Amino acid sequence: YPLCALAVSDERPVSTQSTWGDPSQITGDYIRNSSLYVNLARAIGKIVVAYMSLQKLAGYTAVVTDLQSVLSDLKNNKYTREMVNPQRLAEKGLRPGCGAVQRDDIIRFKNLDVVTPNGDILVENVNLEIPDGMNLMITGPNGCGKSSLFRILGELWPIFGGEVFKPADADMFYIPQKPYLTVGTLRDQVIYPQLFEEYKSSGRSDNDLDELLKLTQVDYIIEREGGWDKIDDWSEVLSGGEKQQMALARLIYHKPNMQY
């Protein structure tokens, strides 16, 4: 390929092409042109990779923007979505934003209707009270509304009817089945969502974090990964079990009044 391109890419006058019969000259031209085209191919490859990265960044940006827009609308009781059964909702007097969320020291659902965002009624007229210190396990088949109840409690879904009483967000802590791990230091995985500056001002030290990982039996990660300041994508580094134990250490670190 470089030899075929030599006649096109070489800018020397035709009068000097008589020296091309020299083997050393041909070898030099071959090496020079092949090196140029290899570097050109690498540069084009980097442009393609950069374009793909930009596309991925644009996709993430669009998703985050849509999420912020939806959360803002929910906060302002503005909700627009096609309902699967609008007639049944109208008969029962249910509509998005019809319910209310109030602050309290306990969790209480009063005449709450558990309805999906598209209007599918899962559970009607839920009355439940969970005082501080009470342990409760909610069981049931798939699709019965177990996770939906917590989505309403976390104000991720609009309330179609009834009332929800709950403590302040700072006093509540959710533990998902798949823990969220940030791209950052190993320390960030334990103190999340607290910032490093807040961690330093709280008076705690890395020795305290050492004890937490010993308590959850994953203290070996500190030495294995190179210390608390090691930066990595921990969702890819840690195993499934290690992620859940790290989430447990995070829970103990924050010591919330209520955990879910």
Side-chain angles (χ1 to χ4, degrees), residues 5 18 29 59 63 87 89 114 118 171 174 197 237:
S18 59
D29 289 340
V63 170
Q87 183 177 356
L89 293 176
V114 181
N118 62 355
D171 296 328
Y174 296 89
E197 292 75 14
V237 174

Side-chain angles (χ1 to χ4, degrees), residues 34-127:
S34 61
S35 177
L36 290 175
Y37 279 98
V38 167
N39 291 332
L40 177 61
R42 289 176 179 173
I44 294 175
K46 289 182 178 180
I47 293 176
V48 172
V49 171
Y51 176 72
M52 295 174 61
S53 300
L54 286 175
Q55 281 186 316
K56 184 182 295 185
L57 177 61
Y60 288 147
T61 303
V63 170
V64 172
T65 301
D66 291 343
L67 176 61
Q68 289 180 330
S69 177
V70 171
L71 293 178
S72 177
D73 289 343
L74 288 176
K75 187 176 181 180
N76 298 322
N77 290 327
K78 178 184 176 183
Y79 189 84
T80 303
R81 189 164 182 172
E82 184 177 353
M83 300 297 167
V84 295
N85 197 346
Q87 183 177 356
R88 186 183 178 193
L89 293 176
E91 291 175 355
K92 294 182 175 295
L94 302 177
R95 64 180 186 276
C98 186
V101 177
Q102 302 185 38
R103 300 303 176 192
D104 203 338
D105 294 333
I106 64 173
I107 292 177
R108 183 157 58 100
F109 303 106
K110 182 178 179 182
N111 301 324
L112 176 70
D113 295 292
V114 181
V115 185
T116 65
N118 62 355
D120 187 13
I121 302 176
L122 300 179
V123 187
E124 298 183 51
N125 198 30
V126 176
N127 288 278

Side-chain angles (χ1 to χ4, degrees), residues 198-249:
E198 297 172 332
Y199 162 75
K200 296 295 290 184
S201 63
S202 67
R204 298 187 180 184
S205 66
D206 290 347
N207 292 331
D208 298 325
L209 302 185
D210 292 342
E211 294 301 320
L212 287 180
L213 292 199
K214 286 181 181 179
L215 186 61
T216 56
Q217 301 181 1
V218 285
D219 52 303
Y220 59 87
I221 295 179
I222 305 172
E223 182 178 357
R224 186 190 72 186
E225 300 300 334
W228 288 108
D229 294 315
K230 173 68 178 300
I231 298 177
D232 214 325
D233 184 358
W234 298 101
S235 62
E236 300 293 336
V237 174
L238 302 181
S239 66
E242 290 172 342
K243 293 176 185 177
Q244 293 181 341
Q245 289 169 287
M246 191 68 71
L248 182 59

Side-chain angles (χ1 to χ4, degrees), residues 105-109 128-132 134-136 138 258 260:
D105 294 333
I106 64 173
I107 292 177
R108 183 157 58 100
F109 303 106
L128 176 64
E129 183 175 312
I130 309 175
D132 187 13
M134 176 181 178
N135 296 321
L136 175 66
I138 300 177
M258 294 192 173
Y260 309 95

Side-chain angles (χ1 to χ4, degrees), residues 1-23:
Y1 181 80
L3 288 176
C4 293
L6 183 62
V8 178
S9 60
D10 200 288
E11 299 180 354
R12 293 178 298 177
V14 178
S15 58
T16 64
Q17 296 181 4
S18 59
T19 61
W20 288 9
D22 185 1

